[in-house]
């Protein structure tokens, strides 16, 4: 476990990154995204921060708080339905029109549902699967030129993608049905999104060695999600939270720990040539990392991921992702 004093020491030293760090928080208007954005704004010098989500009223409250935390920072809310890949494109276009670089892309957007059947967006993708995988990869692809620009601006500059989801919980993929059109289910969706995220980010780290890619599992974090459940489900969720309360991570601490994951020199890009944390592929400083809630690299599921690497599944997953993107463009 990375102890909190070490986490806080790293976060307190972020002035070392220099002024004007640009961060994009996809799903930053609640929960871990909001908590991490607060830490980032408070600990950096004159940051430029973009929050992307749908709740304009909630965003107004957060923007006010962020400006009070750091009056010299600049914060912007972009209202967008990020379950749609076109929504991701539009949000990225607005950022690219204003910024020449992005230092940090931090993604937490998601949803909790009990629906065991596909619920398709207007783009033909399952809403949950799109939020947890396709939309996030779309943000990463669109903003990679700005992430590269940040890395090239100054030696050792921050250029990092953090995907908060389910690292360490990868499982078998249905290689004949990666999008789960034939055999959808909540567990299958969670497994596919987790495994495909890890493999896709490992692929991106190889293709873009100037940027570090991190997939995290946040643990059980007490967020405001319970308020979104109906009266029949809410008591059950509250009971579960009470049962797991000894193992729950406080939201503020999760924000601190995720800022550490987003900025610590321990997780450099592939081309840094440093012997630091072990990447998801078992190589030190590989540029792609899977982290437990406490900031330590995962070492589970290595046999499955090693087999997928040797069988070319990483390439298959990425080609599938690009095919989904390409087919959406044809519908424009």
């Amino acid at each position: 476990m990375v102890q909190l004093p070490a986490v806080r020491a790293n976060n307190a030293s972020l002035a070392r990154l220099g002024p004007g760090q640009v961060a994009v928080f996809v799903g930053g208007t609640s929960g871990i995204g909001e908590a991490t954005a607060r830490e980032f704004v408070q600990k950096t010098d004159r940051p430029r921060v973009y929050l992307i989500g749908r709740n304009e009223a909630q965003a107004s409250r957060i923007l006010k708080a962020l400006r009070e935390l750091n009056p010299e920072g600049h914060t912007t809310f972009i209202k967008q339905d990020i379950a749609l890949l076109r929504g991701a494109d539009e949000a990225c276009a607005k950022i690219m029109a204003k910024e020449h670089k992005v230092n940090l892309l931090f993604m937490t957007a998601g949803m909790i549902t009990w629906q065991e059947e596909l619920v398709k967006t207007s783009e033909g993708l399952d809403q949950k699967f799109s939020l947890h995988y396709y939309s996030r990869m779309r943000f990463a692809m669109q903003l990679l030129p700005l992430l590269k620009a940040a890395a090239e601006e100054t030696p050792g500059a921050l250029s990092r993608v953090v995907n908060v989801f389910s690292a360490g919980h990868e499982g078998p993929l249905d290689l004949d049905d990666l999008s789960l059109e034939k055999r959808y289910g909540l567990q299958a969706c969670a497994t596919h999104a987790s495994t495909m995220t890890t493999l896709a980010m490992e692929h991106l780290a190889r293709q873009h060695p100037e940027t570090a890619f991190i997939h995290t599992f946040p643990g059980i974090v007490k967020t405001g999600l319970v308020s979104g459940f109906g009266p029949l489900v809410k008591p059950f969720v509250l009971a579960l939270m009470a049962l797991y309360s000894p193992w729950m991570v406080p939201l503020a601490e999760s924000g601190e720990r995720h800022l550490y994951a987003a900025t610590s020199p321990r997780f450099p890009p592939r081309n840094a040539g440093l012997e630091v944390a072990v990447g998801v592929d078992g190589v030190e400083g590989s540029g792609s990392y899977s982290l437990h809630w406490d900031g330590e690299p995962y070492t589970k599921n290595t046999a499955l991921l090693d087999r997928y690497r040797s069988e070319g599944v990483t390439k298959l997953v990425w080609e599938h992702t690009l095919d989904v993107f390409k087919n959406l463009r044809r519908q424009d």
Side-chain angles (χ1 to χ4, degrees), residues 155-191:
L158 180 68
S159 177
R160 195 165 298 188
V161 176
V162 179
N163 204 330
V164 182
F165 185 50
S166 193
H169 294 74
E170 296 84 1
L173 296 172
D174 185 339
L175 300 181
D176 296 320
D177 187 24
L178 284 175
S179 58
L180 297 174
E181 289 281 342
K182 302 172 186 175
R183 290 177 288 275
Y184 184 86
L186 290 180
Q187 184 57 56
C189 180
T191 299

Side-chain angles (χ1 to χ4, degrees), residues 78-114:
I78 298 176
K79 185 178 181 180
Q80 201 59 252
D81 183 356
I82 47 184
L84 298 176
L85 303 195
R86 290 182 182 85
D89 290 348
E90 290 172 11
C92 291
K94 291 178 181 178
I95 294 167
M96 290 186 285
K98 294 182 178 181
E99 304 292 347
H100 72 277
K101 68 168 185 176
V102 167
N103 298 96
L104 172 64
L105 171 60
F106 191 92
M107 298 181 285
T108 58
M111 63 181 292
I112 294 179
T113 178
W114 305 102

